[in-house]
Amino acid sequence: MIFQQLKGIEVMSLQKPSRLRRTVGLRKLVRETSLSVNDFIRPIFVTHRNKRQEIKSMPGQFHFPLDELEKTIAGSIKLGINGIILFGIPKSKDETGTDTTNDNGIIQQAVRNIRGAFPELIIITDACFCQYTTHGHCGILDKNGIIDRKSSLTQLQRQALSHVNAGADFVAPSCMIDGMVKYIREALDNNGFDMRGIISYAVKYASTFYGPFRNAANSALQQGDRQSYQIDTGNVREALKEAQIDVDEGADIIMVKPALPYLDIIREVKNHVSCPVSAYQVSGEYAMIKAAAQHNWLDENESLMESLLGIKRAGADIIITYFADAASKLINK
Ligand code: PBG
């Protein structure tokens, strides 16, 4: 132990060198958690437009036209990425989100094209209504403006079926309607899709960090809020309850969203459920790092890697991140 004389008192130095930290090789040898390109799922936005457009609030992320998907995805696959999650910007919205179940809707077309080009790629689709409804809520509303559970769940089943029919491996319901996993599981099993999975956004907090996504997906709420169906930021036990319900209903993977402000939740969920846990590093988390880096206030590469490592260390088996390509490049270097 190293001791220093400080005003006549012996104190222990805080800079005690560790034999195990002496060299890069040693630090690698004893590192407890490390990132792999296999951890990442890349989110991709797809539109009917014919030119790619950068998303202002998410620099480096784009709305892709259908015919550019193959090229950008090939780039990710080359880096070693195995999976993507798709978000669609539909042509039209209405009160009930009719386009969610359209076999020629934006997601359905995208999935068919991508499946044709990449038979092995894991394709996940977001199953929700907020991009498709004029009011921006995550379900069909009753005449009092409250989510109508029955009609929303029936439509969700049809949406999920049209996604797997197009070739999706996993449907990821994010509408937080009670029973969503059970209804989707039933619909898949009854229609010959028992080997297709469900990634449940069971643990979705009412977060402000979805802001840039909502601009990107044009899904801002017209009125009201989503507090009544998303988890309150202060709650842990509620998250565990939601996760357990969805596992019992047949979810294959449980998602925690957002990631960085909820690392404790990722750990708790990991300890609590036996299925894989995925964490979604959401648009606001991405935007923060990007914005600070643009000002040279943070080192972009180091901060994105540190955030992702923290999310993994917290217990995430899978990380959905807009940094999937960037992080993979750094890992492969
Ligand atoms: C719902 C959905 C959202 C996100 C993923 N799926 C938006 C929301 O819950 O309001 C957020 C993702 C992000 O912020 O990156 N369709």
Side-chain angles (χ1 to χ4, degrees):
M1 236 178 262
I2 298 170
F3 288 93
Q4 287 175 346
Q5 286 295 122
L6 183 67
K7 286 188 182 161
I9 307 164
E10 280 192 331
V11 291
M12 208 193 309
S13 166
L14 294 175
Q15 278 106 24
K16 177 176 173 284
S18 162
R19 275 187 292 279
L20 295 178
R21 285 199 290 265
R22 195 166 46 84
T23 64
V24 176
L26 274 168
R27 290 195 288 273
K28 281 188 184 163
L29 185 71
V30 298
R31 175 167 250 191
E32 294 170 40
T33 310
S34 36
L35 290 165
S36 147
V37 293
N38 293 320
D39 301 331
F40 305 135
I41 301 282
R42 176 184 170 197
I44 297 179
F45 295 92
V46 53
T47 72
H48 287 286
R49 288 202 211 93
N50 53 13
K51 261 180 75 182
R52 79 150 77 171
Q53 198 175 27
E54 189 165 26
I55 301 165
K56 270 209 191 77
S57 48
M58 303 173 72
Q61 298 298 312
F62 298 86
H63 284 164
F64 286 100
L66 282 164
D67 61 7
E68 281 191 32
L69 287 176
E70 193 174 326
K71 187 161 162 237
T72 186
I73 292 170
S76 298
I77 291 176
K78 221 166 157 193
L79 292 167
I81 291 171
N82 299 312
I84 58 162
I85 180 164
L86 286 171
F87 297 97
I89 320 289
K91 221 179 249 165
S92 61
K93 298 174 186 255
D94 58 24
E95 280 287 299
T96 57
T98 314
D99 216 37
T100 50
T101 60
N102 177 353
D103 281 334
N104 278 318
I106 187 69
I107 286 293
Q108 291 84 350
Q109 283 191 55
V111 172
R112 269 199 301 276
N113 294 357
I114 298 167
R115 177 52 73 225
F118 308 107
E120 300 290 318
L121 182 73
I122 301 161
I123 304 177
I124 304 164
T125 56
D126 187 71
C128 198
F129 295 85
C130 55
Q131 288 112 283
Y132 297 84
T133 50
T134 37
H135 43 73
H137 278 282
C138 302
I140 298 170
L141 301 182
D142 66 15
K143 55 184 187 312
N144 300 317
I146 292 167
I147 301 260
D148 183 66
R149 196 169 154 263
K150 196 90 212 339
S151 57
S152 299
L153 286 172
T154 312
Q155 183 147 325
L156 190 64
Q157 288 182 312
R158 294 184 18 232
Q159 182 182 21
L161 279 176
S162 78
H163 289 180
V164 294
N165 203 29
D169 298 291
F170 286 94
V171 179
S174 66
C175 52
M176 295 290 283
I177 300 173
D178 287 348
M180 64 182 187
V181 173
K182 177 169 173 271
Y183 272 68
I184 292 178
R185 189 67 268 158
E186 254 169 39
L188 299 184
D189 289 349
N190 293 339
N191 288 278
F193 294 110
D194 56 315
M195 293 309 281
R196 308 295 174 91
I198 300 175
I199 302 181
S200 175
Y201 286 85
V203 183
K204 178 171 171 180
Y205 281 87
S207 170
T208 196
F209 287 96
Y210 311 141
F213 175 97
R214 287 184 186 159
N215 295 336
N218 191 13
S219 63
L221 271 189
Q222 297 312 306
Q223 57 181 42
D225 59 49
R226 296 189 177 96
Q227 310 281 345
S228 59
Y229 44 92
Q230 298 182 349
I231 303 176
D232 187 276
T233 301
N235 294 355
V236 181
R237 293 185 326 138
E238 186 185 1
L240 298 180
K241 185 174 147 215
E242 293 284 354
Q244 190 59 54
I245 291 172
D246 284 12
V247 169
D248 293 343
E249 287 185 8
D252 299 285
I253 296 171
I254 290 291
M255 177 123 72
V256 177
K257 182 179 132 186
L260 207 57
Y262 299 92
L263 294 180
D264 57 328
I265 308 295
I266 296 173
R267 170 50 56 194
E268 291 275 353
V269 170
K270 178 65 175 261
N271 291 345
H272 199 77
V273 300
S274 50
C275 67
V277 174
S278 105
Y280 197 142
Q281 183 188 48
V282 299
S283 55
E285 299 176 65
Y286 175 84
M288 284 196 297
I289 291 177
K290 278 289 187 184
Q294 281 180 348
H295 284 84
N296 288 322
W297 292 341
L298 273 180
D299 180 283
E300 178 168 340
N301 289 343
E302 286 179 7
S303 29
L304 75 88
M305 290 304 271
E306 187 174 331
S307 309
L308 292 170
L309 187 60
I311 294 165
K312 177 132 184 220
R313 193 193 60 240
D317 301 290
I318 301 160
I319 307 174
I320 301 180
T321 171
Y322 301 98
F323 288 122
D325 277 12
S328 300
K329 275 184 203 148
L330 292 168
I331 290 169
N332 294 336
K333 235 183 12 204

